[in-house]
Amino acid sequence: MKSAVIVFPGSNCDRDLAVAIRDVTGEAPVMVWHRDTELPEGIDLIGVPGGFSYGDYLRSGAMAARSPIMRAVSDAAARGVSVLGICNGFQVLTEAGLLPGALMRNAGLNFVCRDVALTVGTSQSAFTSRYEAGEEIRVPVAHHDGNYTADEATLDRLEGEGRVAFRYGEAVNGSARNIAGILNDAGNVLGMMPHPERMIEAAHGRTDGRRLFEGLVAAIA
């Protein structure tokens, strides 16, 4: 499986994501700088990592979404290439229009950094195929702008189409309907605030994030 991780100024989880992908797939991803305009040939998976792209200036993910490489990411997503956006990556994908809704400042205005319970919303995607729908897992969060919002019609559509991939098991940041991660309408783009790449080895305390990457390998390889 050939993968790439996009690197923006301010990214600080790009190496974590690259290590997770390499650990599960056995092949290190290509690190792609945000000013590049093309992705490697034959790419199967694009990772948009967490961090603080452009220092979160203007609005989280807003400047990164307009980086030159994002045109290639959008084109690849339209062709069906899998795109995984984690934390700041989720913010970038909403700002780029690859996913609906927006991520606002957390309710309470506090940075939240801890493990949280998640309920798996669907197993009908490459990202979630190794989970059971309704299963509870635990994955870390670390964000200040993870409060997912969208209009009621969009939220109803996400729920009705089975596109809520993960839901918080508790009130974490004020997200509408406790949504923690969503899929695009084709199911090949996932944005999520929790960090599965930080929960792939037993040394991390749990391996609940590992199955997300294993599902991708099974679907793509």
Side-chain angles (χ1 to χ4, degrees), residues 73-138:
V73 172
S74 295
D75 290 346
R79 295 195 303 271
V81 173
S82 295
V83 179
L84 170 62
I86 300 170
C87 198
N88 189 234
F90 187 9
Q91 296 158 350
V92 173
L93 295 181
T94 58
E95 291 284 347
L98 289 174
L99 291 170
L103 284 306
M104 302 191 305
R105 189 61 46 93
N106 293 346
L109 306 182
N110 293 318
F111 190 92
V112 179
C113 183
R114 59 184 171 87
D115 291 354
V116 299
L118 299 178
T119 301
V120 179
T122 177
S123 60
Q124 302 300 308
S125 77
F127 303 96
T128 58
S129 62
R130 291 298 176 97
Y131 302 105
E132 297 291 332
E135 177 182 357
E136 182 176 291
I137 61 175
R138 293 192 71 84

Side-chain angles (χ1 to χ4, degrees), residues 44 63 85 128 136 145 155 220-221:
D44 300 303
M63 296 175 71
T128 58
E136 182 176 291
D145 299 283
L155 294 171
I220 295 170

Side-chain angles (χ1 to χ4, degrees), residues 147-159:
N147 184 351
Y148 182 75
T149 186
D151 59 65
E152 288 298 311
T154 298
L155 294 171
D156 289 344
R157 188 167 67 252
L158 289 171
E159 303 238 35

Side-chain angles (χ1 to χ4, degrees), residues 5 11-24 47-51 84-90 118 131 137-142 166 190 192-204 206-213:
V5 173
S11 295
N12 67 1
C13 300
D14 49 324
R15 296 294 171 184
D16 291 351
L17 181 55
V19 169
I21 291 172
R22 184 191 64 197
D23 189 84
V24 178
V48 186
L84 170 62
I86 300 170
C87 198
N88 189 234
F90 187 9
L118 299 178
Y131 302 105
I137 61 175
R138 293 192 71 84
V139 177
V141 297
F166 299 103
L190 169 68
M192 61 187 296
M193 289 309 297
H195 287 266
E197 80 278 18
R198 296 182 184 177
M199 205 61 93
I200 65 161
E201 299 178 4
H204 296 160
R206 302 174 69 94
T207 58
D208 288 355
R210 187 178 186 90
R211 282 183 283 162
L212 185 149
F213 297 97

Side-chain angles (χ1 to χ4, degrees), residues 52-68:
F52 302 90
S53 59
Y54 292 90
D56 276 352
Y57 290 116
L58 181 61
R59 189 175 59 246
S60 296
M63 296 175 71
R66 287 148 183 85
S67 290

